[in-house]
Amino acid sequence: MSKKDFHTELKSGFTTGTCSAAVAKACTYMLVHQQLVHHINVRMPDGSESTLEICEPQFNENSATCYTIKDAGDDPDATHRIKIYAKATHRDEAGFELTTGPGIGMVTKPGLAVEVGKPAINPVPLKMIHQAIAEVIDDEGIKVELSIPEGVEIAKKTFNPQLGIVGGISVLGTTGIVKPMSEEALKSSLELSLKQLAAFGHDEVILVPGNYAVSFLKKYYDVPDKLVVQTSNFIGFMLEKAVKHGFKKIVLVGHIGKLVKLAAGIFYTHSRIADARNEVMTAHYLKYSNDTSTAIKLMDTNTTEEAVDIIEDASFWNYIANQIKHRANKYIYNETEIEVITFSQSKGLLGKSDRANNHIELLKANSTNKKSQEKNSTISICGIGPGNPDFILPEVFKEIAKADIIIAGKRHLELVENSNKEKLIFTGYLDQLQTDITANKNKYIVVLVSGDTGFHSLRRFIMATFADDNVKCIPGISSFQYLYAKMNMSYEKAHLASLHGTEFNFVDALKKYESVFLLTDRNNNYKTIAQTLIDNNLPNAHMIIGSRLSYENEQIETCTASEAIHKDFDANLCSIIIKAQVKSIKTKV
């Protein structure tokens, strides 16, 4: 690495969602305007614009095609450098239709951000793609097909098959930008694996630097995957955290070129910081053998694989494994038992510290015993109604009383602020929710959700993710039930929908149903809904806007779409009923 590279900040890249939006816009533009496009601007979720390169653009009167190459920056993943394609063709009806081809997965299981039976394009990138196409067309009818041919094989190396996404990868991205993970964030994610393993009652672990060691273990040792935790280059950090989380036995398994550095007291092993493999290997070999001629050869090797071929005395590898063990134990002040196993790519198993085999066998035996003793979690999902505690069912309070831990949004935790129960804030990220529940196995977990558990709540995700656990639901009063009741209206012929992070054509729904109920969010709020109605020639559509429902400062007001533009409501806490034509609405507040 050059001096210039050393001081350069990590480079950001683009998500598959941004790349998909770019090629969709580019091929649509070429078909509509009959002009080649080599670069295209894409609007990002934060309103900024980014420019992407378009490769092999082609068009004629009937179709246009192109692709772009995903650049993930300095945080490359399995999709780095893949080609994302788009093809645009004409269709009879005005507007556009988005379809997917090879390499983009289909959702087959519930619990994800995308409904079962639909392409695995998450809500934010889907919105970006729709917006990108809409910027180009007027009255034209366009069909756009996205495909990622390499995605078929790449998906096999991801968690997609387990998640129920078949046939390809997902199109992802919440910001449109791939930002390289910081060192602290990476270390936190590594430690999380230790915390989860400890939460299941394990006090023994196998630490490995990376995937080479994982493959080695599969070939030479039949150990459960769950006992294997990766350290990356942060071996010292992970040893410290293993002690912190109560692990009594640790087996370090890794390539000799990585672990030999530990014999010199180097516990952050990135080659840019500490590439002293030859020197450490040579020093220990010379001390072990007093063979100066071989030591000189070792100093001149380019790789540790080459060094392995030079050293003929096989017993040296057990010796160096014990030296690594000694320094590792010294690093953590002998607070736990550590054993070491090393390997090379060419020879496989090289050396083991004195009790490494015993440790491995104990880990396997204890893991089998733990598995038979493990209990499934009890997860109680409780609907807490529109907000006011007066509208919460008594059964919910009984569940809270039984809870070991309560998970809820910050506002919802105010309900139990005087309780001495352990509390975790749900920040909106499903992966964090999964981590929090997993890390608290064997506890009685209560998850508080707004409204009712069966209407756009976390229930679907939790039921799908923790299918083997005891999951139960306590119903609550949904905001739609509350608002319809307050207005003396029936919702038997209504359409109920949510705009939380997704899109829904409520204008079309108004043509089919007596009324439409919408849950809103910061972006899809009452003003944007009103403006959409106005833009679709429905300025007199009646909107019943409910804000802070059930609280003392509750607001419920009936107005037209034109009037709603000028109203002042708490946009984050609104529920809305829309009626295209209203003879009379009785307001009871």
Side-chain angles (χ1 to χ4, degrees):
M1 178 173 287
S2 70
K3 184 176 180 181
K4 178 182 177 182
D5 290 336
F6 183 86
H7 292 288
T8 300
E9 291 187 6
L10 293 176
K11 174 188 170 188
S12 296
F14 293 116
T15 63
T16 47
T18 298
C19 295
S20 298
V23 292
K25 182 177 181 179
C27 68
T28 302
Y29 184 92
M30 288 190 291
L31 181 59
V32 171
H33 296 282
Q34 293 291 290
Q35 295 177 6
L36 281 178
V37 170
H38 295 282
H39 292 86
I40 200 80
N41 289 337
V42 175
R43 189 173 301 281
M44 311 299 274
D46 66 358
S48 64
E49 286 195 345
S50 295
T51 303
L52 281 76
E53 183 179 1
I54 301 301
C55 303
E56 297 187 13
Q58 300 178 30
F59 70 88
N60 55 38
E61 292 182 356
N62 301 314
S63 66
T65 60
C66 65
Y67 70 85
T68 192
I69 299 174
K70 180 189 172 185
D71 181 357
D74 288 326
D75 194 20
D77 59 7
T79 62
H80 183 51
R81 304 301 298 171
I82 62 168
K83 295 177 180 179
I84 299 176
Y85 291 81
K87 178 179 180 179
T89 55
H90 294 290
R91 71 173 198 156
D92 295 335
E93 297 179 23
F96 65 86
E97 175 188 1
L98 181 65
T99 64
T100 56
I104 296 178
M106 296 294 293
V107 176
T108 65
K109 292 182 181 179
L112 302 175
V114 180
E115 293 180 13
V116 172
K118 291 190 175 182
I121 305 176
N122 273 17
V124 172
L126 182 61
K127 188 173 183 178
M128 289 178 66
I129 296 164
H130 284 180
Q131 180 177 300
I133 298 171
E135 288 176 2
V136 177
I137 65 173
D138 290 318
D139 299 324
E140 298 88 357
I142 301 293
K143 178 181 178 181
V144 177
E145 181 186 78
L146 295 172
S147 61
I148 310 175
E150 296 164 88
V152 176
E153 290 301 315
I154 291 173
K156 298 175 183 177
K157 304 173 185 177
T158 71
F159 289 112
N160 274 16
Q162 295 96 306
L163 293 173
I165 300 172
V166 300
I169 62 173
S170 306
V171 177
L172 304 172
T174 54
T175 65
I177 299 293
V178 177
K179 293 185 177 180
M181 184 179 283
S182 69
E183 181 176 303
E184 287 306 311
L186 177 56
K187 288 162 76 174
S188 294
S189 68
L190 293 171
E191 183 188 359
L192 187 58
S193 298
L194 286 174
K195 290 171 68 175
Q196 291 179 339
L197 193 57
F200 280 104
H202 293 277
D203 57 7
E204 300 155 335
V205 65
I206 300 170
L207 297 181
V208 300
N211 290 327
Y212 283 150
V214 173
S215 300
F216 166 80
L217 283 167
K218 288 183 183 298
K219 183 176 181 179
Y220 287 88
Y221 295 93
D222 183 23
V223 296
D225 290 342
K226 66 181 179 182
L227 295 181
V228 182
V229 173
Q230 295 199 23
T231 67
S232 186
N233 289 302
F234 307 104
I235 297 176
F237 168 82
M238 291 294 280
L239 286 173
E240 291 172 348
K241 295 305 178 183
V243 171
K244 172 187 172 182
H245 294 296
F247 287 91
K248 300 292 191 296
K249 288 183 172 61
I250 300 171
V251 181
L252 276 171
V253 180
H255 189 277
I256 185 61
K258 181 71 70 174
L259 294 192
V260 74
K261 298 177 185 181
L262 275 59
I266 299 168
F267 286 87
Y268 175 61
T269 58
H270 197 293
S271 59
R272 193 183 75 198
I273 304 300
D275 191 10
R277 292 165 293 178
N278 286 9
E279 292 83 352
V280 178
M281 184 91 74
T282 301
H284 279 281
Y285 181 77
L286 189 58
K287 179 182 177 182
Y288 170 77
S289 67
N290 203 29
D291 179 357
T292 55
S293 61
T294 300
I296 292 171
K297 293 178 183 178
L298 290 175
M299 282 297 293
D300 291 334
T301 57
N302 293 317
T303 66
T304 46
E305 288 290 330
E306 188 179 346
V308 167
D309 291 334
I310 290 174
I311 296 174
E312 296 179 353
D313 186 349
S315 61
F316 168 72
W317 301 116
N318 287 341
Y319 167 82
I320 193 67
N322 279 302
Q323 296 305 305
I324 295 167
K325 166 187 170 179
H326 170 72
R327 288 305 293 260
N329 275 310
K330 184 178 179 181
Y331 184 82
I332 56 164
Y333 305 102
N334 295 301
E335 291 190 55
T336 189
E337 298 178 39
I338 298 177
E339 297 296 330
V340 174
I341 298 173
T342 64
F343 65 90
S344 74
Q345 294 296 92
S346 59
K347 295 187 181 299
L349 176 64
L350 282 180
K352 300 171 287 187
S353 59
D354 293 337
R355 294 182 55 79
N357 278 347
N358 289 342
H359 264 41
I360 288 286
E361 292 306 316
L362 279 172
L363 261 67
K364 290 162 64 174
N366 290 341
S367 175
T368 301
N369 293 336
K370 286 277 192 316
K371 186 173 182 180
S372 64
Q373 297 168 7
E374 281 178 4
K375 298 178 181 177
N376 290 338
S377 295
T378 294
I379 306 169
S380 179
I381 310 169
C382 297
I384 60 170
N388 190 319
D390 292 344
F391 291 88
I392 299 176
L393 295 180
E395 193 66 24
V396 172
F397 292 105
K398 292 179 183 179
E399 291 298 298
I400 291 172
K402 291 189 287 187
D404 294 312
I405 188 166
I406 300 169
I407 302 175
K410 189 174 182 180
R411 181 169 63 90
H412 299 152
L413 282 178
E414 294 174 1
L415 178 69
V416 291
E417 61 183 351
N418 295 322
S419 169
N420 59 1
K421 304 285 186 180
E422 184 181 355
K423 307 174 190 74
L424 293 176
I425 297 176
F426 173 59
T427 59
Y429 294 100
L430 295 178
D431 55 348
Q432 184 60 49
L433 176 66
Q434 181 176 350
T435 296
D436 288 339
I437 293 177
T438 302
N440 288 283
K441 284 283 185 179
N442 304 326
K443 293 183 179 180
Y444 200 103
I445 302 169
V446 169
V447 181
L448 303 180
V449 299
S450 295
D452 179 54
T453 58
F455 184 60
H456 295 283
S457 77
L458 296 170
R459 184 197 64 83
R460 178 183 290 184
F461 172 78
I462 292 173
M463 292 289 288
T465 307
F466 299 96
D468 295 331
D469 292 292
N470 177 27
V471 181
K472 61 179 181 177
C473 295
I474 309 299
I477 298 173
S478 176
S479 55
F480 78 80
Q481 294 172 302
Y482 182 93
L483 188 55
Y484 273 92
K486 292 284 283 190
M487 300 305 298
N488 288 328
M489 293 171 59
S490 168
Y491 49 84
E492 291 175 352
K493 296 182 180 180
H495 186 85
L496 313 175
S498 173
L499 296 178
H500 284 178
T502 187
E503 294 182 355
F504 169 67
N505 191 337
F506 53 86
V507 174
D508 281 352
L510 280 172
K511 301 173 185 176
K512 304 174 185 176
Y513 300 92
E514 285 187 1
S515 64
V516 173
F517 174 85
L518 300 174
L519 290 174
T520 66
D521 64 13
R522 184 187 300 273
N523 296 317
N524 297 304
N525 56 51
Y526 70 95
K527 288 192 175 182
T528 60
I529 292 168
Q531 188 60 58
T532 300
L533 291 169
I534 293 169
D535 293 344
N536 283 272
N537 299 316
L538 291 170
N540 295 318
H542 279 67
M543 299 176 64
I544 303 166
I545 305 172
S547 175
R548 296 186 289 273
L549 295 178
S550 79
Y551 291 101
E552 289 184 2
N553 57 350
E554 170 185 286
Q555 284 181 278
I556 300 178
E557 187 167 339
T558 301
C559 57
T560 65
S562 296
E563 293 167 340
I565 292 289
H566 307 291
K567 298 292 182 181
D568 185 18
F569 287 91
D570 185 342
N572 295 326
L573 296 173
C574 277
S575 299
I576 296 173
I577 299 173
I578 309 172
K579 290 175 72 73
Q581 293 180 346
V582 181
K583 293 179 181 177
S584 96
I585 297 178
K586 239 185 220 182
T587 304
K588 182 180 179 181
V589 180

